[in-house]
Amino acid sequence: MSLMNPSMEDLPPDVMADILTRLPVKTIIYSTCVCKKWRNLVSSSYFVNLHLSRSPPSLIVSRLSRGDLANSRKAGILKWVEIEDELDRHHLHHDPVMTLDLNLSSTLRKSKVLLMGSVNGLICLSQPKGGNTCICNPITREYMILSRNRDKREDYSTFVCGFGVVCMTGEYKVMRTFEDSNSSSRPRQLQAEVYTLGTGRWRNIGHVPYWFDHSDQPFLNGHIHWRIYDEDSPESLCAFDLDKETFRLFPSPPSESIEESYMHFQSLAVLKGCLCKSDTYDSRYTIWVMTEYGIKKSWRKELVVKLGIIPDLDWLIWEPMFLIEGLKDGSILMVCREERLLVYCPQSKTIEHTEMFEPYFSGLPYRPSFLKLRDFASERVRMF
């Protein structure tokens, strides 16, 4: 059915919404220019929720512009990568029209911006040198800078930042940790604060019981997850409950002791709705999958690549890998050393190098949505 078919004007709003939500995102964006009725429909909560329930998995990739790879004073750009995922084939596609230049923001352009998390089409960005935290929607091209806590010095260090949504209430929250400058203990203690979108302020929630690895912080089932630094801890993972705003140790996969291993690189991710952990040693590369959330016994090995067993994959053992997304045929999207976007196929035990982007970049799983930041009260929303 053509978008310009006049008969569509006579359709009930719910039928119109059903039709529009099945169209490609770029086509929906263009449809808002057709008439005011369609623009209002796409902005409605009914349409936003219906579209989100049908929104296909995709990726969001952050990288510096060409020629600025060595310039830490550039914010970089966001690229939306669509995944055409079928059981018999998959294809990655990036439309340059959907690129979002973060340097257009007078606040963000001052230094490099890091991807911290993505939920329901919203992306959390952190600026380590500038101390700014930003929420943006690449589809609506809206963004907002979360206000700073006036009770703290401008130069305090943010160590970890996580983003998610409370399952029951639908509240979107950002949690970040920082070093307590007033603490006399050595090492200094970490404190945490939470920002609920729409409130316009940070709330201190007290002492953080663990030191986290800041390289990844996947959100799943109302919790943000991290790996922790504590050799004496019975678990190597921690979860932050966004509803109760509390930390707790989280069941981790069985620990492996690899003799004479001089390297151990780890990463966390969510693949096809399951929490996953990868381990890179000198002699093997392993991916663990938690098949039942929160159940320690449900951890199982999804992939094991041992040195010499699959010679074509031996290089996996020497390169840090970040898991991003799982596909219908069991393939896994991975970023290697911020330099290559890879697709691993377990059936053929092969790896495809997509060659889509130049170094250096990072990526997150992403589901495009038309959720408007202007719907959050007490926030100053700007446009790219």
Side-chain angles (χ1 to χ4, degrees):
M1 180 179 292
S2 170
L3 283 177
M4 299 305 295
N5 191 335
S7 62
M8 290 189 66
E9 290 291 332
D10 301 324
L11 294 176
D14 58 336
V15 177
M16 279 282 296
D18 182 66
I19 294 173
L20 289 176
T21 55
R22 299 177 188 275
L23 298 176
V25 168
K26 194 165 68 170
T27 303
I28 298 175
I29 295 174
Y30 290 156
S31 75
T32 61
C33 301
V34 173
C35 63
K36 184 177 181 180
K37 180 179 179 180
W38 289 13
R39 184 169 64 251
N40 293 338
L41 178 62
V42 171
S43 299
S44 68
S45 59
Y46 176 80
F47 179 92
V48 170
N49 294 331
L50 182 60
H51 177 269
L52 188 58
S53 69
R54 296 171 173 172
S55 184
S58 60
L59 308 178
I60 199 75
V61 171
S62 172
R63 71 176 305 276
L64 294 178
S65 306
R66 183 186 294 271
D68 290 328
L69 297 179
N71 192 344
S72 62
R73 295 185 178 182
K74 292 289 185 177
I77 57 179
L78 295 183
K79 297 186 175 184
W80 174 43
V81 181
E82 297 177 86
I83 305 175
E84 296 179 12
D85 187 15
E86 304 296 337
L87 286 175
D88 58 341
R89 67 178 180 86
H90 54 258
H91 174 69
L92 304 181
H93 172 70
H94 164 62
D95 187 341
V97 173
M98 301 302 293
T99 295
L100 190 64
D101 189 350
L102 300 178
N103 297 294
L104 295 176
S105 166
S106 58
T107 303
L108 297 179
R109 69 166 64 116
K110 299 175 183 178
S111 68
K112 184 179 179 180
V113 173
L114 303 178
L115 289 175
M116 304 308 297
S118 174
V119 180
N120 295 343
L122 303 185
I123 297 174
C124 180
L125 304 169
S126 178
Q127 203 168 30
K129 290 188 176 181
N132 293 305
T133 304
C134 171
I135 303 296
C136 78
N137 185 336
I139 304 303
T140 64
R141 308 186 75 84
E142 297 174 308
Y143 75 99
M144 58 188 184
I145 307 296
L146 305 189
S147 63
R148 297 190 182 187
N149 195 328
R150 296 180 180 178
D151 296 334
K152 298 182 177 62
R153 296 181 306 171
E154 294 294 328
D155 60 346
Y156 76 92
S157 298
T158 299
F159 287 87
V160 172
C161 185
F163 179 53
V165 60
V166 180
C167 298
M168 295 298 294
T169 65
E171 293 178 303
Y172 290 83
K173 295 183 179 181
V174 178
M175 190 285 294
R176 67 183 182 188
T177 66
F178 56 93
E179 191 173 2
D180 187 358
S181 60
N182 296 320
S183 174
S184 59
S185 62
R186 293 291 184 274
R188 290 178 176 175
Q189 291 185 341
L190 288 183
Q191 296 285 322
E193 55 188 5
V194 171
Y195 192 110
T196 302
L197 299 194
T199 63
R201 65 185 182 91
W202 292 94
R203 293 179 290 105
N204 191 298
I205 59 173
H207 170 61
V208 180
Y210 315 106
W211 285 81
F212 306 129
D213 186 300
H214 66 276
S215 59
D216 39 42
Q217 47 280 319
F219 169 78
L220 181 64
N221 288 352
H223 293 75
I224 306 171
H225 307 80
W226 292 275
R227 290 172 289 113
I228 62 173
Y229 297 116
D230 188 347
E231 295 181 355
D232 298 325
S233 173
E235 304 290 354
S236 62
L237 302 180
C238 168
F240 178 72
D241 187 323
L242 283 170
D243 182 23
K244 299 178 181 178
E245 298 183 354
T246 55
F247 298 91
R248 67 181 176 92
L249 289 176
F250 190 80
S252 52
S255 59
E256 295 181 299
S257 178
I258 309 298
E259 295 183 2
E260 299 180 356
S261 178
Y262 297 98
M263 176 180 65
H264 184 197
F265 179 82
Q266 307 171 70
S267 71
L268 286 179
V270 174
L271 302 181
K272 300 181 72 172
C274 294
L275 188 66
C276 296
K277 180 176 180 286
S278 69
D279 292 272
T280 303
Y281 295 95
D282 293 354
S283 59
R284 72 177 60 177
Y285 175 72
T286 305
I287 295 179
W288 292 85
V289 177
M290 184 180 238
T291 56
E292 296 181 58
Y293 183 77
I295 306 300
K296 188 176 182 65
K297 293 183 179 180
S298 73
W299 282 105
R300 63 175 174 82
K301 288 183 179 180
E302 180 75 12
L303 169 68
V304 179
V305 177
K306 293 184 179 181
L307 187 65
I309 299 299
I310 310 175
D312 290 343
L313 299 183
D314 276 356
W315 62 274
L316 273 179
I317 296 167
W318 306 104
E319 302 286 354
M321 294 288 176
F322 292 92
L323 308 179
I324 300 182
E325 185 63 271
L327 305 179
K328 290 180 180 178
D329 65 353
S331 297
I332 300 173
L333 293 174
M334 305 183 292
V335 172
C336 171
R337 230 170 165 47
E338 298 185 335
E339 296 180 355
R340 291 178 284 183
L341 181 61
L342 309 173
V343 182
Y344 168 75
C345 179
Q347 286 82 10
S348 60
K349 292 182 171 58
T350 58
I351 283 186
E352 173 189 351
H353 181 199
T354 64
E355 298 183 349
M356 292 189 70
F357 306 107
E358 298 177 359
Y360 291 92
F361 65 90
S362 58
L364 284 176
Y366 178 69
R367 288 183 179 267
S369 84
F370 289 86
L371 180 62
K372 286 188 171 293
L373 295 181
R374 297 184 187 279
D375 292 339
F376 296 98
S378 304
E379 303 291 356
R380 181 185 176 187
V381 179
R382 311 171 193 180
M383 299 292 293
F384 284 108

